[in-house]
Amino acid sequence: MATDRILNSSNAQTQDNRQGAESRYIICMKWGDKYGPEYVNRLYNMVSRHLTLDFQMVCLTDNSTGIDPAVRCYPIPELDLPAGPERGWKKLTTFKPELYDLKGVALFLDIDIVIVDNIDSFFTYEAKHPDSVVIIRDWKKPWRMIGNSSVYRFNIGMGTYPNLLANFEHNFDIIRTQVRHEQAYLSDYLRKHHHLEYWPKDWCVSFKYQCIAPIPFNLVRAPKLPDGAKMVIFHGEINPPDAIKGGGGKWYRHVKPSPWLKEYWQ
């Protein structure tokens, strides 16, 4: 009888892990007042239009007011860190060994990206290793092998990266003198202890580096969507609303309007 209970328990756990591995999540984060709930809602709409696979969208946030009820909202987990500037460290909480009983494969998306084509491939892409985190390769200095964490896929709640967050919290005083932001720590840790892989370079394009024409051509040429792009990533001063209407800071960085973004950013 005891043996039967052990076998039944083992079979049940195996079945739970199998079912969890088949679950797909879109994870995003919103904190502070820089972005309103409309950013989360637009992201949910874009994913719904461009992902044909079953998914559940989850937002980790400090304020769920105004967010579409179809998006499951949870508080951002606390980090055991001393006071200091927030450099995206909160994103690392997605790697908690257990996160609100979420279990499966998760695709993290920044809430200010623009999805322009089908994104099924971000889930069906076959990584070389089961513990790989697949991420964007940095556009400006690709030789540094640092991933851009605007879009990354990982195993959530599966115990795949048990010490990633604990190591960060325990050694934070040293780590923050070595890296400027969370994606540098994440890339370095994964290369040393797990595996880091990169999306095909055409899938995630930088609006700043790949859509806008180089200076001085940006003054006369409107930004264009590169062939093969599936997502447009915004970093720096420009966000999607700014890109649509055009403008910029210093005169030589002026960005002409990108009305083509409107059909996607909704």
Side-chain angles (χ1 to χ4, degrees):
M1 294 293 291
T3 302
D4 290 342
R5 285 197 297 271
I6 293 173
L7 289 174
N8 289 337
S9 175
S10 177
N11 290 338
Q13 183 65 45
T14 300
Q15 184 175 4
D16 288 344
N17 287 339
R18 187 182 303 116
Q19 291 173 344
E22 294 173 353
S23 297
R24 301 182 195 89
Y25 298 97
I26 297 291
I27 310 287
C28 69
M29 275 189 175
K30 182 183 81 69
W31 69 84
D33 55 8
K34 182 177 181 179
Y35 300 109
E38 69 276 6
Y39 276 76
V40 178
N41 297 339
R42 282 194 180 97
L43 181 61
Y44 174 71
N45 292 339
M46 288 187 288
V47 171
S48 297
R49 291 195 303 270
H50 295 290
L51 180 60
T52 67
L53 306 172
D54 292 337
F55 74 95
Q56 173 65 59
M57 184 159 168
V58 172
C59 181
L60 303 177
T61 182
D62 58 3
N63 185 357
S64 62
T65 303
I67 294 178
D68 192 310
V71 179
R72 290 164 59 183
C73 293
Y74 298 101
I76 299 172
E78 294 292 330
L79 276 172
D80 183 17
L81 302 179
E86 217 298 317
R87 299 176 181 171
W89 308 131
K90 294 180 188 291
K91 281 188 182 182
L92 296 174
T93 62
T94 59
F95 290 93
K96 285 179 66 70
E98 294 184 8
L99 185 64
Y100 298 114
D101 293 325
L102 305 176
K103 183 179 292 186
V105 179
L107 182 68
F108 183 94
L109 301 176
D110 276 350
I111 57 176
D112 61 346
I113 69 166
V114 177
I115 301 175
V116 298
D117 201 354
N118 180 275
I119 61 171
D120 288 6
S121 52
F122 285 86
F123 282 102
T124 60
Y125 180 83
E126 293 190 15
K128 295 179 181 178
H129 307 277
D131 65 343
S132 288
V133 173
V134 191
I135 199 167
I136 302 171
R137 189 154 193 165
D138 183 67
W139 300 282
K140 190 174 182 180
K141 298 178 180 179
W143 60 87
R144 296 172 57 196
M145 299 179 69
I146 293 178
N148 179 290
S149 62
S150 295
V151 181
Y152 61 89
R153 190 186 74 191
F154 63 106
N155 298 328
I156 191 168
M158 305 287 283
T160 309
Y161 325 96
N163 300 314
L164 188 153
L165 188 59
N167 176 74
F168 175 75
E169 292 178 317
H170 183 71
N171 298 295
F172 180 69
D173 286 339
I174 296 174
I175 291 171
R176 67 176 168 180
T177 67
Q178 298 173 334
V179 300
R180 294 182 55 212
H181 37 57
E182 105 292 340
Q183 58 195 21
Y185 166 75
L186 179 64
S187 300
D188 182 65
Y189 182 90
L190 290 169
R191 286 198 308 271
K192 291 179 179 177
H193 302 281
H194 297 281
H195 292 93
L196 186 70
E197 299 185 40
Y198 303 101
W199 301 117
K201 63 179 182 179
D202 295 336
W203 288 8
C204 302
V205 298
S206 164
F207 185 79
K208 180 178 181 179
Y209 294 125
Q210 293 169 278
C211 296
I212 300 174
I215 299 172
F217 301 106
N218 60 306
L219 301 176
V220 293
R221 295 181 190 169
K224 294 182 179 180
L225 180 65
D227 292 339
K230 297 178 181 293
M231 298 187 191
V232 180
I233 313 303
F234 290 81
H235 47 100
E237 299 178 356
I238 300 174
N239 60 25
D242 297 329
I244 291 171
K245 67 182 181 182
K250 297 179 181 180
W251 68 270
Y252 57 86
R253 294 192 181 279
H254 179 82
V255 179
K256 297 186 73 63
S258 303
W260 52 268
L261 278 169
K262 284 185 179 180
E263 66 178 288
Y264 305 110
W265 180 245
Q266 55 183 314

